[in-house]
């Protein structure tokens, strides 16, 4: 039975959140989109996404800090995390925090989808090798 | 004529002349005894000159001064002419600067019979020298840094003991109480006492004289001699009076630090143990110094606020760019969704329009990035991530990406130049800037050539177009900020005119060089070279 891949999107801008949800659903993903970053770990554990798309500058939160926290937990250590930001200069610190990828806003659709796909295949083939 | 004049001069008037010069003139024999003293000796030592004849130098001068002059006396008695400068005790507790000349008196046989001593009081001259030296040094210190608090402290310490025994610098900060920036004295014990005094008996801002008054009125205050009754009047109580009397204050002057719009503070000079008495000349000097200091303070404050303004702008632009990009991001996503949904639509206009929307969004993004970059350059926050990368590969990738957006044919010439150490994204940005310029400024041409060449020391990339070119007079400004060929009224090309400025900054920060050759109507070639990792010395900059 075909199971669509699950993507969790966390971004505090509702417009971007909605646009991303539309885009990713058109391409056949199951999307959970939330502006709330406070309980990221619980959200991740609840929805068990295949990929997490996470904004860097969240109101009252920082995607890089969340990434670091997620990397501390067994259940989320190997979760592919793609950090997204309108500040291209955040790339270096994004990778340093443990993110797999960094994509600058505004994103090019092909780049974003390509990056997601790369990690979906990676995650299935190389599971538990991190 | 001359002879008859001479005749009337001798012998008596000559002695009168010697007596009336303000210089100490004496004849001292080989046994170091005075044989002649002029009248000036009487004023200096308070003894009749006849009583000095036959006296030994040591008897008149005292042990301390004798110790000082003895080597010069010995040298003169060996037949040498001696000139020296020294500081000697004078009267009870003062000192004087003197310049002495000893001229040996040598008999025809060669024997030294004695020497003529001519001693001049150069205390006043020395004082002027000290003042000038101090002013020069203080001005240099004031100009040396924008940290005016530190420089003013240094000036206060320079002033003691050359100019004053005490020096106090007080600064008026807007919306806060006066700050005593410096309190200088050579003796730490006295400093402690003064601090104690200030702590226990703070000065009254309403006083009609002193620092507060000077700062209020902007008028200097000088007191040649501090009378005891002034201390009595100023003292809070008997203990206070005792303490201030201990400081033995003699004379003072307070000069205001005058800013263009308001008082910035004041400098106080006090003399005590040196016995110095301040007069008009000293006040002129102090006012001169104060005007230098006030200028330094204002400059430093202006600089600080200008730097802060740049910093604020950078912060603002950083937030603004983030906010501006947010709607662009969702706009771009929807444009791309539309593109996907309308794929295969028979109307070619639809995909053409969508591509235009996409291009415009990208252009807008680049403008926002440029704005932020230029602001970052100005506050020194333009960061680089340095790694080794293949320049040729970067050029091929960049050209491929840009080729898709233009009708110009972009041709790469030359051969791979090997690895370069630098920020690949930023160098890529330079190549994009040069290529988009080439496209923009050659609307009627078909081709753009990117030529790559290398020497062992450097790799060079040249982007050549066959467009409108640049007039000679505009060439030297081309890498300047906000510069665009043509003026704002006849502006025909879009953009902020900062692409080349940012490019030049990137290349220079990589120790490379960027330049342009151009002929109006024929086209332009923009080139940059970067040192290769094996090259030891960076390439010299040429852009000014």
């Amino acid at each position: 039975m075909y199971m669509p891949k699950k993507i969790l999107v966390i971004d505090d801008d509702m417009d971007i959140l909605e646009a991303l949800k539309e885009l990713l659903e058109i391409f056949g993903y199951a999307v959970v989109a939330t502006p709330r970053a406070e309980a990221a770990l619980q959200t991740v554990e609840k929805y068990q996404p295949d990929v997490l798309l996470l904004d860097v500058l969240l109101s009252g939160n920082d995607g890089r800090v969340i990434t670091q926290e997620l990397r501390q937990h067994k259940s989320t250590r190997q979760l592919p995390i793609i950090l997204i930001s309108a500040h291209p200069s955040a790339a270096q610190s994004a990778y340093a925090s443990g993110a797999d990828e960094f994509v600058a806003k505004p994103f090019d659709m092909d780049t974003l989808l390509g990056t997601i796909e790369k990690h979906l295949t990676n995650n299935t083939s190389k599971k538990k090798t991190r | 004529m001359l002879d008859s004049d001479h005749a009337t001069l001798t012998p008596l008037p000559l002695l009168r002349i010697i007596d009336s010069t303000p210089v100490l003139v004496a004849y001292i024999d080989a046994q170091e005894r005075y044989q002649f003293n002029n009248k000036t000796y009487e004023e200096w030592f308070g003894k009749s000159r006849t009583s000095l004849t036959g006296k030994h130098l040591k008897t008149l001068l005292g042990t301390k001064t004798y110790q000082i002059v003895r080597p010069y006396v010995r040298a003169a008695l060996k037949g040498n002419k001696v000139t020296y400068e020294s500081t000697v005790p004078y009267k009870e507790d003062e000192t004087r600067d003197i310049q002495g000349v000893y001229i040996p008196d040598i008999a025809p046989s060669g024997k030294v019979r004695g020497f003529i001593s001519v001693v001049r009081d150069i205390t006043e001259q020395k004082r002027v020298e000290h003042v000038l030296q101090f002013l020069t040094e203080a001005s240099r210190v004031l100009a040396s840094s924008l940290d005016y608090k530190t420089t003013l402290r240094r000036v206060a310490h320079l002033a003691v003991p050359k100019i004053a025994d005490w020096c106090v610098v007080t600064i008026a900060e807007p919306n806060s109480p006066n700050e005593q920036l410096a309190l200088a004295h050579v003796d730490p014990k006295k400093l402690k006492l003064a601090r104690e005094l200030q702590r226990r008996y703070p000065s009254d801002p309403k006083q009609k004289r002193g620092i507060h008054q000077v700062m209020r009125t902007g008028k200097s205050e000088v007191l040649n001699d501090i009378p005891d009754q002034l201390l009595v009047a100023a003292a809070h109580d008997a203990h206070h009076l005792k303490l201030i009397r201990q400081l033995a204050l003699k004379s003072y002057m307070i000069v205001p630090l005058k800013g263009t719009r308001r008082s910035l503070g004041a400098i106080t000079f006090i003399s005590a143990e040196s016995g110095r008495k301040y007069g008009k000349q000293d006040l002129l000097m102090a006012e001169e110094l104060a005007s230098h200091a006030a200028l330094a303070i204002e400059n430093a404050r202006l600089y600080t606020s200008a730097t802060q303004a740049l910093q604020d702008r950078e912060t603002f632009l950083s937030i603004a760019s983030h906010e501006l990009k947010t709607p662009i991001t969702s706009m771009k996503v929807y444009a791309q969704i539309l593109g996907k949904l309308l794929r295969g639509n028979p109307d070619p206009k639809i995909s053409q329009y969508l591509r235009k929307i996409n291009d415009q969004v990208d252009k807008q993004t680049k403008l926002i990035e440029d704005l932020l970059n230029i602001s970052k350059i100005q506050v020194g926050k333009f960061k680089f991530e340095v790694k080794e990368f293949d320049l040729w590969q970067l050029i091929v990738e960049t050209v491929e990406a840009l080729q898709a957006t233009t009708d110009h044919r972009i041709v790469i010439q030359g051969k791979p130049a090997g690895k370069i150490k630098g920020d690949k994204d930023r160098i890529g940005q330079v190549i994009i800037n040069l290529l988009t310029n080439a496209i923009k400024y050659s609307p009627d041409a078909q081709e753009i050539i990117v030529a790559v060449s290398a020497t062992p020391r450097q790799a060079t990339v040249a982007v050549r177009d066959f467009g409108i070119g640049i007039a000679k007079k505009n060439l030297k400004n081309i890498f300047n900020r906000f510069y665009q060929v043509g003026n704002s009224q006849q502006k025909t090309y879009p953009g902020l005119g900062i692409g080349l400025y940012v490019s030049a900054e990137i290349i220079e920060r990589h120790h490379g060089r960027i330049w342009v050759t151009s002929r109006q109507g024929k086209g332009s070639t923009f080139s940059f070279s970067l040192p290769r990792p094996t090259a030891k010395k960076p390439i010299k900059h040429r852009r000014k």
Side-chain angles (χ1 to χ4, degrees), chain B residues 505-521:
Chain B
E505 180 73 21
I506 293 171
I507 295 301
E508 289 190 356
R509 290 271 301 272
H510 280 82
H511 307 292
R513 192 162 79 77
I514 189 164
W515 70 96
V516 58
T517 53
S518 184
R519 275 182 66 194
Q520 215 167 356

Side-chain angles (χ1 to χ4, degrees), chain B residues 139-196:
Chain B
S139 305
R140 198 184 56 74
V141 167
L142 284 172
S144 69
S145 151
L146 283 163
D147 175 7
Y148 71 89
K149 294 195 173 179
T150 309
T151 52
L152 281 174
R153 271 185 211 115
R154 278 175 64 195
V155 168
H157 285 98
L158 270 183
V160 297
K162 269 187 193 161
I163 301 300
D165 298 306
W166 294 92
C167 184
V168 187
V169 181
T170 314
I171 291 294
E173 291 281 2
N175 311 319
S176 59
N178 293 341
E179 181 193 357
Q180 185 175 301
L181 207 59
L183 172 70
H185 189 278
V186 274
D187 183 357
K189 266 190 221 140
K190 290 254 165 117
L191 272 177
K192 213 177 149 192
L193 175 64
R195 290 217 179 88
E196 169 80 8

Side-chain angles (χ1 to χ4, degrees), chain B residues 44 64-65 68-69 72 84-90 94-99 122-123 126 130:
Chain B
W44 188 286
K64 214 168 173 187
T65 307
I68 294 168
V69 302
Y72 310 123
Y84 66 91
E85 278 184 14
S86 186
T87 306
V88 295
Y90 179 73
E94 288 179 40
T95 61
R96 285 289 155 119
D97 294 307
I98 55 157
Q99 186 196 52
I122 55 166
T123 310
K126 278 277 155 194
H130 275 149

Side-chain angles (χ1 to χ4, degrees), chain B residues 407-422:
Chain B
D407 296 330
H408 286 73
R409 204 159 57 88
I410 309 174
V411 182
I412 307 176
Q413 291 179 350
K415 56 181 194 314
K419 300 272 186 206
I420 289 289
K421 224 174 172 180

